[in-house]
């Protein structure tokens, strides 16, 4: 099986480096003694770093989350073995290679913006040590109609890529490798379009048609870091499966739909603004003295100025779930924050109490995971806690 | 020459990112003239349920970022009484497994994959059966006198069993 790979095979993963194109060219000269191929834009995301790469990465086109229950015989040492082999899978799959022992390695393709993120439920900390300060379960909410098949879990693997085949293939390997240690309790898959018609990144829309995620802190800013990362470089993830009643939503006029959110459907701009990222004017009133952004509008209630400055980092995946000809539509709501109780829970409680959107949405699944920090070559995910 | 060293120094992190779990990357990065072989994606086939649970195979990928061909010359593991480097070869029209004379070459600037149906590391005289989810230590020795101490996961794999079963090793 010794073969001379093409330069592309050998150096095709270089794009994640800061100066990817330049590095590739230099390396090709050094090792191949030939002309460097013209560098192509790489969508490979390095799995290594202070944080797990999937958290801050742009929303993937396709995503799947799998929650696992630890088998009763899985102790702390066994959990370490699982995390070491999952980490090796993450490295290989992120670089477009089959996982070690992959039964269908040809389904792993590079350049697909692949990420895989591992999370820990409460049971892990019963086995392995104290919970991170920011990790907490959520109490039941008044509007919740939680179903067991979408709720809880001891471990999470969240896979994303711009290619659905890569996602499904990777999940198959993670589940297969987990078999001696843990069994799936739920799986949720969904899709998101974060690219506009001109190829530029956009916020993306949920299935109500709303631009969804405008208020997020921008990746790479101090505000983002303070919102998302704990002192170790980890974070927490809240997963809420939110069923949307499209039939009754569709009965509303567009202005009724816009009033419920407080933003325009066309651009996502606040009803008081012109462009998507215009700041909300929460004081503005119409001729009759009513607030332009209603008191129970989603955008007002979730705005950080109305929540003592508390922020979260929101992502989402749209989902459809078919049973015969009946289709359920919804949103896999994903929220990252350093501190669940300090940042997310007050916001959730406020929205649960009065959000206008509650009339058309029902949360049917809920889970919280601690997302441990990232890892470096030779290391593994969760090493600090389990190692 | 100075330029060449610089470009190799740049190339190394690229290969590290390509091949993932390299052992001791920092130490290797200091040896610019002979960077040594990088090891990734190692795994061992489980023996539980197999007819013969005393032998199995280890598979992995080797990358040589240097300018000289290197060889994997031997491997050892405390779980196995005997470890050999094997290849699959055609003999009298039949595919047989045999010891790989002189070791497994990793060409300069290239990869070598040890994989099911091809070259592999044969673990024999196993002291106990290997279950999926186990880990075992494996030490690789290379022709540049470097060694790599690996911790290798045991995984289930539905490979045709006869590949790794007593076709007696030709002497």
């Amino acid at each position: 099986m010794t073969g001379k790979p093409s330069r592309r095979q050998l150096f095709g993963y270089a794009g994640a480096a800061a100066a990817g194109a330049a590095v590739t060219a230099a390396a090709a000269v050094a090792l191949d003694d030939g002309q460097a191929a013209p560098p192509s834009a790489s969508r490979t995301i390095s799995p290594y770093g202070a944080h797990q790469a999937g958290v801050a990465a742009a929303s993937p086109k396709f995503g799947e989350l799998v929650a696992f229950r630890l088998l009763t015989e899985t102790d702390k040492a066994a959990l370490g073995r699982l995390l070491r082999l999952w980490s090796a899978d993450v490295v290989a799959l992120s670089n477009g290679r089959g996982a070690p022992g992959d039964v269908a390695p040809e389904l792993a393709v590079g350049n697909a913006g692949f990420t895989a993120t591992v999370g820990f439920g409460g049971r892990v900390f019963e086995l392995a040590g104290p919970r991170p300060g920011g990790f907490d379960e959520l109490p039941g909410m008044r509007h919740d109609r939680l179903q067991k098949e979408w709720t809880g879990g001891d471990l999470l693997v969240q896979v994303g890529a711009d290619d659905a085949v890569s996602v499904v293939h990777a999940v198959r390997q993670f589940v297969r490798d987990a078999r001696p240690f843990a069994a799936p309790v739920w799986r949720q898959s969904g899709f998101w379009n974060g690219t506009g018609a001109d190829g530029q990144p956009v916020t993306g829309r949920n299935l109500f048609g709303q631009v969804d995620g405008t208020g997020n802190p921008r990746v790479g800013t101090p505000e983002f870091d303070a919102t998302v990362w704990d002192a170790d470089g980890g974070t927490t993830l809240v997963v809420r499966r939110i069923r949307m009643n499209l039939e009754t939503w569709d009965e509303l006029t567009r202005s009724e739909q816009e009033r419920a959110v407080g933003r325009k459907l066309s651009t996502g701009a606040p009803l008081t603004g012109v462009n998507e990222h215009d700041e909300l004017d929460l004081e503005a009133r119409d001729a009759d003295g009513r607030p332009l952004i209603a008191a129970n509008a989603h955008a007002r209630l979730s705005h950080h100025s109305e929540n003592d400055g508390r922020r979260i980092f929101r992502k989402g995946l749209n989902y459809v779930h078919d049973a015969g000809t009946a289709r359920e539509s919804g949103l896999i709501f994903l929220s990252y924050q350093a501190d669940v109780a300090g940042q997310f829970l007050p916001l959730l409680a406020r929205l649960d109490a009065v959000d206008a959107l509650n009339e058309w949405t029902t949360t049917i699944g809920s889970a919280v995971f601690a997302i441990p920090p990232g890892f470096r070559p030779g290391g593994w995910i969760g090493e600090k806690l389990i190692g | 020459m100075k330029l060449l060293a610089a470009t190799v120094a740049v190339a190394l992190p690229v290969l590290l990112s390509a091949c993932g779990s390299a052992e001791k990357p920092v130490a290797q990065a200091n040896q610019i003239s002979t960077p040594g072989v990088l090891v990734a994606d190692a795994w061992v086939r489980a023996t539980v349920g197999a007819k013969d649970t005393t032998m199995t195979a280890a598979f992995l990928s080797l990358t040589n970022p240097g300018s000289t061909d290197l060889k994997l010359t031997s491997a050892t593991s405390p779980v196995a009484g005997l470890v050999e480097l094997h290849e699959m070869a055609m003999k009298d029209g039949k595919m047989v497994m045999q010891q790989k004379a002189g070791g497994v070459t990793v060409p300069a600037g290239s990869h070598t994959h040890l994989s099911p149906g091809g070259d592999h590391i044969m673990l024999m005289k196993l002291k106990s059966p290997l279950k999926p989810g186990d880990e075992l230590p494996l030490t690789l020795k290379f022709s540049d006198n470097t060694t790599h101490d690996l911790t290798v996961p045991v995984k289930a794999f539905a490979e045709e069993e006869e590949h790794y079963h007593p076709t007696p090793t030709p002497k």
Side-chain angles (χ1 to χ4, degrees):
Chain A
M1 294 285 282
T2 299
K4 182 100 177 156
S6 70
R7 187 182 300 120
R8 188 182 180 83
Q9 283 173 299
L10 195 55
F11 301 113
Y13 315 125
V23 169
T24 306
V29 171
L31 291 176
D32 247 342
D33 219 22
Q35 302 84 14
S40 59
S42 173
R43 291 277 302 118
T44 299
I45 298 170
S46 169
Y48 297 122
H51 317 294
Q52 291 195 65
V55 176
S59 282
K61 284 194 172 11
F62 303 95
E64 182 168 346
L65 296 94
V66 190
F68 295 83
R69 170 182 55 82
L70 286 169
L71 305 184
T72 44
E73 61 269 30
T74 302
D75 57 12
K76 183 176 177 180
L79 186 56
R81 294 197 298 277
L82 171 59
L83 291 167
R84 284 189 285 276
L85 73 85
W86 267 357
S87 298
D89 292 352
V90 170
V91 171
L93 293 162
S94 296
N95 284 305
R97 308 193 302 268
D102 201 321
V103 287
E106 294 80 5
L107 293 180
V109 294
N111 263 340
F114 180 96
T115 62
T117 308
V118 174
F120 299 154
R123 172 87 184 117
V124 167
F125 302 102
E126 290 172 24
L127 281 180
R131 292 174 170 224
F135 173 74
D136 266 299
E137 317 284 350
L138 293 173
M141 294 288 123
R142 196 162 56 93
H143 284 95
D144 285 359
R145 296 292 179 271
L146 301 186
Q147 299 171 6
K148 202 167 164 247
E149 64 258 44
W150 306 115
T151 298
D154 301 333
L155 288 171
L156 174 80
V157 175
Q158 180 187 4
V159 176
D162 289 342
D163 164 48
V165 176
S166 298
V167 171
V168 168
H169 166 257
V171 168
R172 178 177 166 192
Q173 301 312 314
F174 286 114
V175 170
R176 187 171 176 270
D177 279 343
R179 210 173 285 157
F181 311 97
V185 287
W186 53 253
R187 299 164 177 254
Q188 305 191 40
S189 55
F191 45 91
W192 194 256
N193 189 353
T195 306
D198 58 358
Q200 295 302 307
V202 294
T203 304
R205 291 176 185 270
N206 63 35
L207 295 178
F208 280 159
Q210 300 157 352
V211 175
D212 189 337
T214 301
N216 271 336
R218 197 175 302 223
V219 174
T221 61
E223 190 173 51
F224 178 89
D225 293 346
T227 300
V228 175
W229 308 123
D230 65 23
D232 289 327
T235 184
T236 64
L237 169 63
V238 173
V239 183
R240 308 268 290 171
R241 186 172 180 89
I242 300 175
R243 189 174 64 205
M244 294 172 158
N245 191 334
L246 296 191
E247 288 72 24
T248 55
W249 176 258
D250 290 348
E251 289 167 5
L252 303 178
T253 64
R254 278 177 76 87
S255 65
E256 285 169 333
Q257 293 176 343
E258 291 182 335
R259 205 177 310 142
V261 188
R263 290 183 177 276
K264 294 172 187 167
L265 287 163
S266 56
T267 57
L271 293 179
T272 55
V274 176
N275 297 309
E276 181 192 349
H277 291 282
D278 287 350
E279 201 40 75
L280 276 64
D281 182 351
L282 297 170
E283 307 303 322
R285 289 171 185 272
D286 66 13
D288 300 324
R290 291 175 305 199
L292 283 174
I293 296 174
N296 65 347
H298 181 81
R300 174 189 291 273
L301 292 168
S302 55
H303 194 260
H304 57 92
S305 71
E306 297 276 298
N307 288 282
D308 296 330
R310 295 185 194 96
R311 303 188 80 135
I312 56 172
F313 177 54
R314 281 265 294 99
K315 282 187 174 178
L317 291 164
N318 298 309
Y319 78 81
V320 293
H321 187 75
D322 296 335
T325 57
R327 165 159 293 184
E328 177 188 308
S329 299
L331 176 72
I332 305 167
F333 168 100
L334 305 170
S335 172
Y336 298 90
Q337 54 281 308
D339 184 349
V340 173
Q343 293 169 257
F344 181 77
L345 182 56
L347 182 63
L348 178 67
R350 192 176 155 82
L351 291 171
D352 183 64
V354 286
D355 187 359
L357 286 179
N358 287 339
E359 190 172 340
W360 303 279
T361 58
T362 308
T363 301
I364 59 171
S366 183
V368 187
F369 300 96
I371 307 295
F375 66 117
R376 297 179 194 290
W380 43 281
I381 296 165
E383 185 169 9
K384 188 176 170 192
L385 179 72
I386 319 281
Chain B
M1 197 55 219
K2 204 173 177 185
L3 181 64
L4 181 64
T7 51
V8 171
V10 170
L12 192 61
V14 175
L15 284 157
L16 283 171
S17 72
C19 280
S21 60
E23 296 298 295
K24 299 183 183 110
V26 176
Q28 285 171 351
N30 293 333
Q31 304 167 2
I32 286 166
S33 53
T34 54
V37 171
L38 310 176
V39 184
D41 298 350
W43 65 285
V44 168
R45 184 178 170 275
T47 65
V48 164
K51 270 177 267 171
D52 182 346
T53 59
T54 67
M55 59 173 67
T56 190
F59 309 102
L60 40 83
S61 293
L62 303 170
T63 297
N64 180 359
S67 49
T68 320
D69 290 359
L70 292 172
K71 280 183 176 214
L72 171 64
T73 52
S74 70
T76 53
S77 174
V79 306
L82 180 63
V83 182
E84 292 179 351
L85 305 180
H86 280 193
E87 64 183 352
M88 308 302 292
M90 288 302 282
K91 253 200 175 150
D92 304 327
K94 279 167 75 177
M95 186 63 84
V96 297
M97 185 175 78
Q98 62 187 28
Q99 228 177 314
K100 180 115 178 158
V104 177
T105 301
V106 193
S110 186
H111 295 296
T112 294
H113 299 289
L114 277 63
S115 54
D119 292 354
H120 57 271
I121 298 167
M122 195 75 193
L123 305 172
M124 289 170 284
K125 299 184 179 171
L126 291 176
K127 288 158 191 171
S128 56
L130 301 174
K131 309 187 296 296
D134 288 349
E135 277 179 346
L136 56 85
L138 183 69
T139 298
L140 308 180
K141 286 199 170 63
F142 291 91
S143 55
D144 58 357
N145 290 320
T146 57
T147 62
H148 289 246
D149 294 321
L150 309 174
T151 301
V152 183
V154 177
K155 294 194 175 194
F157 195 76
E159 180 65 18
E160 283 87 338
E161 215 169 87
E162 56 268 27
H163 277 180
Y164 305 105
H165 274 269
T167 336
T169 307
K171 294 291 165 193

